[in-house]
Amino acid sequence: SPRVLVQEARRIAKASPDISVQVLNRAQAEKKGFSAFLAVAQGSKEEPYVIHLKYTPKKKTKKSIALIGKGITFDSGGLSLKPAQFMETMKVDMAGAATVLGLFSILPYISPDIAVHGIILACENMPSGDAYRPGDVLTAMNGKTIEVLNTDAEGRVTLADALVYASAFQPDAIVDLATLTGACVVALGETYAGLFGNNEALNGHIMKSAEEAGEGMVQFPLPEEYLPTVQSQIADLRNTSFMKTGGAITAALFLQSFVGLQKGTKKQIPWAHIDIAGPIYAE
């Protein structure tokens, strides 16, 4: 449940003087403007939490990176309910969050010389009388509106707020890790992750690291001509594309819309999205 992720984050922070953690409950998150995230959370009796870990190196540095992990601790699909068979493994929908927590557990040992933010928006996606509905229009933290067509495309809705929140810290790079789409698994199978990004240098670093670590990874394009398929007639964006194919790509294009600009420029902060839906769980 979300509270277990909070417990793990606090345990990791307690074990190292270099790591701090801030946790926001539902009311605090509402005051901060995490409206899209809280809409996904409202169908569950489990309390949602915003978890913000920070690693500060011993030597002063101006460089930082923000890592975002999708933290849906159980995904029923919400009112757009999944078939029972597809729900069996949905406790793994927080694998992005688990990856971020795993990294923070070893950061004090590898001692990188940059500051690292770890951001997890943790909740369940459940059906109930309080659940968000197809047809709802949500407002993300940056004011952009999202038309909900399918409540099972919830991860990108929570990540929208997470990307806006991370952008406010003006990191040198943002990387999100998410069990985002079945389309990525259809394309790559169960041992490869899909990489999407707005910066070729960052993409290159990640691909090189994947190769050195023995991780299967394939870089996908982000074609601008697909962007209109996630634009809405009644809001800024829709949470599913009207195009029946290219689901992993259109999901990434949705996310890119919430990456902030570098201060004083019209350029987006370097960002990479890693769709880890395939390799995170060994059947």
Side-chain angles (χ1 to χ4, degrees):
S1 65
R3 67 180 179 273
V4 175
L5 295 185
V6 171
Q7 289 165 6
E8 284 299 305
R10 285 177 170 153
R11 181 185 63 78
I12 290 165
K14 191 175 180 181
S16 171
D18 300 330
I19 296 174
S20 61
V21 64
Q22 180 186 18
V23 178
L24 304 180
N25 62 23
R26 191 192 302 264
Q28 292 164 327
E30 191 171 4
K31 282 184 182 177
K32 290 276 188 182
F34 288 91
S35 301
F37 161 61
L38 291 175
V40 174
Q42 70 192 31
S44 174
K45 66 177 183 179
E46 292 285 348
E47 280 295 300
Y49 294 99
V50 174
I51 303 167
H52 181 179
L53 289 150
K54 187 177 180 186
Y55 165 83
T56 305
K58 290 179 172 63
K59 290 183 180 178
K60 282 189 177 180
T61 180
K62 290 183 179 179
K63 289 194 171 184
S64 67
I65 186 170
L67 302 171
I68 298 169
K70 177 183 168 184
I72 305 296
T73 57
F74 186 80
D75 181 17
S76 69
L79 291 179
S80 305
L81 196 66
K82 292 178 186 289
Q85 183 183 356
F86 292 101
M87 246 188 272
E88 289 172 2
T89 58
M90 280 301 102
K91 63 185 178 184
V92 305
D93 214 17
M94 40 59 77
T99 306
V100 170
L101 290 172
L103 174 67
F104 268 80
S105 71
I106 63 163
L107 277 177
Y109 302 99
I110 58 177
S111 300
D113 57 359
I114 62 168
V116 185
H117 297 273
I119 296 161
I120 297 165
L121 308 189
C123 71
E124 286 186 338
N125 183 27
M126 296 290 280
S128 75
D130 294 321
Y132 79 131
R133 297 154 297 190
D136 282 355
V137 174
L138 315 176
T139 303
M141 191 180 252
N142 62 350
K144 285 188 178 180
T145 51
I146 303 166
E147 181 188 7
V148 176
L149 278 303
N150 188 325
T151 65
D152 195 20
E154 85 299 329
R156 68 198 70 182
V157 176
T158 68
L159 291 171
D161 274 350
L163 287 163
V164 176
Y165 179 71
S167 297
F169 298 103
Q170 287 290 296
D172 294 278
I174 299 172
V175 179
D176 75 73
L177 301 116
T179 48
L180 204 66
T181 66
C184 197
V185 186
V186 170
L188 298 178
E190 295 187 348
T191 60
Y192 279 78
L195 171 65
F196 306 79
N198 65 2
N199 184 282
E200 281 305 314
L202 178 59
N203 289 347
H205 285 308
I206 292 172
M207 289 300 294
K208 186 169 183 266
S209 296
E211 186 179 349
E212 290 173 354
E215 293 280 4
M217 194 173 291
V218 174
Q219 184 176 340
F220 281 79
L222 278 175
E224 286 185 14
E225 62 266 29
Y226 291 177
L227 185 58
T229 73
V230 290
Q231 291 172 336
S232 167
Q233 293 184 340
I234 62 167
D236 293 314
L237 295 155
R238 43 188 287 154
N239 79 327
T240 57
S241 169
F242 64 70
M243 188 167 69
K244 300 299 181 188
T245 53
I249 295 172
T250 54
L253 285 167
F254 175 93
L255 294 181
Q256 187 179 5
S257 302
F258 295 92
V259 179
L261 301 178
Q262 293 172 305
K263 195 172 183 179
T265 76
K266 292 184 178 180
K267 288 185 176 180
Q268 278 192 318
I269 296 166
W271 157 79
H273 157 60
I274 307 178
D275 194 327
I276 57 174
I280 51 86
Y281 188 71
E283 294 282 357

